[in-house]
Amino acid sequence: MTDYELEQMMNAYGAYIARTCYIYLKDWALAEDATQEVFIKAYKHNEEFRKESSQKTWLTSIAINVCKNYVRTSWFRKVQIGIEKVETYSTLEGELINQIGQSDLLKQVMDLALKYREVILLYYYQDFKVNEIANILGIGESSVKMRLTRARKKLKDDFEEECIYG
């Protein structure tokens, strides 16, 4: 891969990869770091890209793996526990919610457990098909379908509860 090809790839998918990383990490600074790491890995391992999927799917898979590595660190877990105690969203999160609209629904999606949040966002916000999500996450299609079903049920239950008590 040439520097020009890397630049083209970054221009085409940079914002998308940054949003994907943010969905996992819930921190823009970490998402930016992870995005840089994704493109470094893509540059270094370009020969491993077999073109069995789109470049976007391949980069998404790298991004998810990078983010999962971040989430596994003890530092990240400590920081996340601190963040979860504060129930307000940062200014950047607020901007994302305003951009996408339907802030209540997005807030509910962002509050889902990671395994449910990732399939919902990949399916509805990134327009991936079930088989593509299975390839990205390295799980079976039936697992993706089950996670989608459970996530939808959780969102529905939360919405109904909010309507009753809200």
Side-chain angles (χ1 to χ4, degrees):
M1 173 183 292
T2 66
D3 291 345
Y4 177 75
E5 291 171 328
L6 176 64
E7 185 177 341
Q8 291 296 102
M9 186 171 40
M10 290 171 66
N11 288 336
Y13 302 112
Y16 162 77
I17 294 298
R19 284 191 309 269
T20 301
C21 292
Y22 176 76
I23 288 166
Y24 273 83
L25 303 172
K26 293 186 178 184
D27 182 288
W28 279 110
L30 284 175
E32 289 172 350
D33 290 346
T35 300
Q36 288 179 356
E37 191 172 331
V38 167
F39 286 108
I40 290 169
K41 285 180 183 272
Y43 183 77
K44 287 181 176 178
H45 301 284
N46 186 52
E47 69 281 350
E48 295 174 20
F49 177 48
R50 297 180 301 248
K51 300 184 180 173
E52 293 173 357
S53 63
S54 70
Q55 196 172 41
K56 181 179 177 182
T57 302
W58 180 62
L59 289 170
T60 303
S61 181
I62 294 171
I64 289 172
N65 287 330
V66 166
C67 290
K68 284 181 178 180
N69 288 340
Y70 275 55
V71 171
R72 285 185 189 115
T73 65
S74 61
W75 175 86
F76 183 86
R77 286 192 300 269
K78 288 176 187 174
V79 170
Q80 277 304 107
I81 290 169
I83 289 172
E84 288 172 2
K85 289 180 182 175
V86 178
E87 300 228 350
T88 59
Y89 286 102
S90 70
T91 305
L92 290 171
E93 274 183 305
E95 289 176 19
L96 177 67
I97 289 169
N98 289 335
Q99 285 176 354
I100 296 175
Q102 301 173 338
S103 62
D104 291 338
L105 177 59
L106 183 60
K107 181 186 178 314
Q108 287 178 331
V109 170
M110 295 297 279
D111 289 341
L112 289 171
L114 179 60
K115 68 181 184 178
Y116 300 127
R117 183 173 69 234
E118 67 188 359
V119 294
I120 289 288
L121 292 169
L122 289 171
Y123 187 79
Y124 289 106
Y125 289 95
Q126 305 297 345
D127 293 325
F128 283 108
K129 294 179 176 91
V130 170
N131 64 333
E132 293 173 316
I133 296 170
N135 287 335
I136 290 168
L137 299 177
I139 60 177
E141 289 183 34
S142 61
S143 295
V144 172
K145 290 176 186 176
M146 182 57 69
R147 288 181 185 185
L148 279 169
T149 300
R150 289 179 179 166
R152 289 179 191 128
K153 182 179 180 341
K154 175 81 170 117
L155 290 170
K156 181 182 175 208
D157 292 347
D158 289 350
F159 180 74
E160 288 174 351
E161 184 178 310
E162 187 175 303
C163 288
I164 292 170
Y165 299 111

